[in-house]
Amino acid sequence: EYGVCENLRKLEITGVSCRDVYAKLLHRYRHILGLWQPDIGPYGGLLNVVVDGLFIIGWMYLPPHDPHVDDPMRFKPLFRIHLMERKCATVECMYGHKGPHNGHIQIVKKDEFSTKCNQTDHHRMSGGRQEEFRTWLREEWGRTLEDIFHEHMQELILMKFIYTSQYDNCLTYRRIYLPPSSPDDLIKPGLFKGTYGSHGLEIVMLSFHGKKAKGTKITGDPNIPAGQQTVEIDLAHPLQLPDIENLRDFSELSRIVLEVQEQVRREEQEEEHRQEEEDCSQQAASQPAAKALGGEGAEGEETAAGAKGTTQDKAPASQPFVLPMGVISRNEDYPRTCRICFYGTGLIAGHGFTSPERTPGVFVLFDDDRFGFIWLELKSFSLYSRIKVSFQNAEAPSREAFDEMLKNIQSLAT
């Protein structure tokens, strides 16, 4: 059931029985296996709790160093649980650089738990906060503060260190699920790492919802916190890019996108007007409401499938792609061909998630594992690359459970 294949003789020598392993370790802590998002203010995170032999280990997954979006994820242990003796399971905090030490886990409810360190002196370094900051900077960013010349970026990094270091004693985690997939999806949904300017690389979950695709932040920053929907892709409105020479002209791309934005706005107004008329006619009609609703739902599904099918049929195998002049990209090593582009919106906000607004942009699908987004208003480009890790115990029990999870993490972020 848990994939434990330990030598039974080895267990007997240590004085631990299979019954103890099951009852006091695996069964007792079964509710914390899977994927979790730590509550670290706007920054969030990705924790994967797995059974590893006779241990249960919580691994924190970290994006690669900016801007190397195609590099593999980094990971480090935050806690582990094991049976040192027959009496009970032992919880150890793995934070810091002085080895395992005494910790505690409290399962608040099925989809929430918290960890606490009982020996925080193990987290401290002899050189004080300056040494801790330098060590954190090397691990988090792969460089020193002297290597970072941009003053605003230095401020963001220092702010993140001060904020996140407050949570080295106690953390609360909330369960997240991987998005369910469908044969009609544009690409396989899942977790991606993407570039976010001075904020570095962040983790985004791509999921499909009929005629829309959504990118939800699993890690975030002081502008757009974890849990918020960073991009939304309108799969009913593919974009026909100009030829490669005209594509270099930002004003030409901007004109195309803004025309589609206006078209979408008109369609939404017409849909609202049509919906109001239908509501009025349904109230006056003698037919049962359930029958009318059933017909409307079926029609909606057909429209979504038809829109996506048309998009797929018209898409060429690949087309040349280049960023327009003046669009800033952290990573210049983006693909020079793409499959298809769609109109989309990206969420931008001031520091502290002030004055958030959805702004127009271009979703660029490069291949099954990479996509990009051009933020028109920011004149910025984000490149996303798939996280190729097989996470266990992370599937949503149903589509409804996944949608509810998305709502919960967004409401917490707000």
Side-chain angles (χ1 to χ4, degrees):
E1 185 181 351
Y2 293 95
V4 176
C5 305
E6 292 294 317
N7 184 294
L8 298 182
R9 179 67 183 154
K10 180 181 171 185
L11 282 177
E12 292 172 7
I13 293 171
T14 58
V16 178
S17 69
C18 289
R19 185 185 295 273
D20 289 332
V21 171
Y22 181 80
K24 298 177 181 179
L25 181 69
L26 302 177
H27 189 265
R28 180 181 176 186
Y29 289 100
R30 68 193 184 282
H31 290 312
I32 71 168
L33 299 177
L35 285 180
W36 303 82
Q37 186 183 50
D39 183 8
I40 314 179
Y43 298 104
L46 181 66
L47 181 83
N48 186 30
V49 183
V50 299
V51 175
D52 187 355
L54 297 179
F55 290 83
I56 290 178
I57 304 178
W59 295 98
M60 183 70 88
Y61 275 77
L62 306 167
H65 293 136
D66 180 50
H68 308 293
V69 73
D70 284 325
D71 284 0
M73 295 287 284
R74 300 172 295 128
F75 50 92
K76 63 179 182 181
L78 287 196
F79 62 83
R80 70 181 187 184
I81 316 167
H82 56 91
L83 286 179
M84 294 297 288
E85 53 187 35
R86 290 176 64 106
K87 292 180 182 178
C88 61
T90 301
V91 177
E92 293 179 322
C93 176
M94 305 289 285
Y95 192 91
H97 300 267
K98 296 181 180 178
H101 46 284
N102 188 21
H104 175 72
I105 285 180
Q106 180 181 1
I107 301 176
V108 181
K109 50 188 177 182
K110 187 180 177 183
D111 293 327
E112 186 176 317
F113 77 97
S114 61
T115 58
K116 183 180 180 182
C117 176
N118 297 328
Q119 294 177 279
T120 51
D121 55 304
H122 280 66
H123 304 174
R124 306 281 73 87
M125 290 185 169
S126 56
R129 294 288 277 172
Q130 284 190 338
E131 184 186 357
E132 290 170 19
F133 175 61
R134 284 195 296 268
T135 303
W136 175 87
L137 191 59
R138 283 195 303 270
E139 292 176 351
E140 185 85 5
W141 293 84
R143 61 184 85 174
T144 65
L145 200 62
E146 291 73 27
D147 296 330
I148 302 167
F149 303 110
H150 198 289
E151 188 175 337
H152 177 59
M153 194 170 180
Q154 288 182 349
E155 291 174 357
L156 289 172
I157 290 171
L158 186 58
M159 184 190 310
K160 185 174 183 178
F161 170 74
I162 293 170
Y163 193 99
T164 56
S165 60
Q166 300 173 39
Y167 289 84
D168 66 352
N169 178 42
C170 188
L171 269 176
T172 299
Y173 302 87
R174 295 180 179 87
R175 184 180 296 281
I176 58 175
Y177 298 116
L178 292 177
S181 60
S182 161
D184 295 329
D185 292 339
L186 191 64
I187 58 172
K188 183 181 177 183
L191 296 172
F192 291 76
K193 38 205 155 62
T195 54
Y196 278 88
S198 299
H199 297 297
L201 298 190
E202 298 183 14
I203 301 172
V204 168
M205 178 184 287
L206 180 70
S207 57
F208 292 91
H209 308 261
K211 291 186 287 184
K212 304 282 186 183
K214 298 177 181 180
T216 304
K217 282 196 173 188
I218 303 302
T219 63
D221 53 66
N223 290 80
I224 308 296
Q228 289 295 337
Q229 189 182 313
T230 175
V231 294
E232 182 174 281
I233 303 104
D234 190 338
L235 300 172
H237 290 88
L239 290 176
Q240 183 61 50
L241 295 181
D243 60 67
I244 200 72
E245 286 305 316
N246 286 324
L247 182 56
R248 297 179 189 275
D249 182 359
F250 179 80
S251 61
E252 177 62 15
L253 179 66
S254 180
R255 180 190 64 78
I256 293 171
V257 174
L258 293 178
E259 281 181 0
V260 176
Q261 182 188 35
E262 179 60 26
Q263 178 188 344
V264 170
R265 188 187 65 79
R266 287 197 305 270
E267 289 174 0
E268 287 175 348
Q269 287 180 338
E270 289 170 3
E271 176 62 24
E272 287 177 10
H273 183 64
R274 186 181 69 83
Q275 191 64 50
E276 288 174 1
E277 289 181 341
E278 279 190 8
D279 291 343
C280 292
S281 61
Q282 281 179 8
Q283 290 174 7
S286 59
Q287 292 180 352
K291 183 177 179 181
L293 286 172
E296 183 186 324
E299 182 184 335
E301 289 174 9
E302 184 181 343
T303 304
K308 291 176 75 173
T310 304
T311 297
Q312 297 281 3
D313 295 341
K314 289 183 179 179
S318 67
Q319 54 186 315
F321 177 81
V322 66
L323 285 176
M325 296 291 290
V327 173
I328 302 168
S329 174
R330 298 286 293 179
N331 194 329
E332 291 299 326
D333 192 26
Y334 62 87
R336 292 313 195 263
T337 60
C338 68
R339 287 185 187 172
I340 192 169
C341 298
F342 292 93
Y343 169 78
T345 58
L347 186 63
I348 64 173
H351 189 88
F353 197 48
T354 55
S355 306
E357 62 172 316
R358 304 213 66 86
T359 60
V362 181
F363 172 85
V364 186
L365 179 63
F366 294 114
D367 52 46
D368 288 341
D369 297 321
R370 289 179 296 179
F371 65 87
F373 192 83
I374 301 174
W375 307 76
L376 215 63
E377 191 163 316
L378 301 177
K379 283 194 173 182
S380 176
F381 174 73
S382 291
L383 177 64
Y384 301 82
S385 178
R386 186 182 298 278
I387 296 175
K388 297 178 181 178
V389 177
S390 298
F391 295 109
Q392 303 296 317
N393 303 293
E395 300 301 323
S398 65
R399 162 62 74 170
E400 290 73 25
F402 176 77
D403 290 341
E404 187 65 26
M405 180 273 298
L406 278 188
K407 286 180 185 176
N408 287 340
I409 64 173
Q410 184 170 356
S411 64
L412 289 167
T414 306

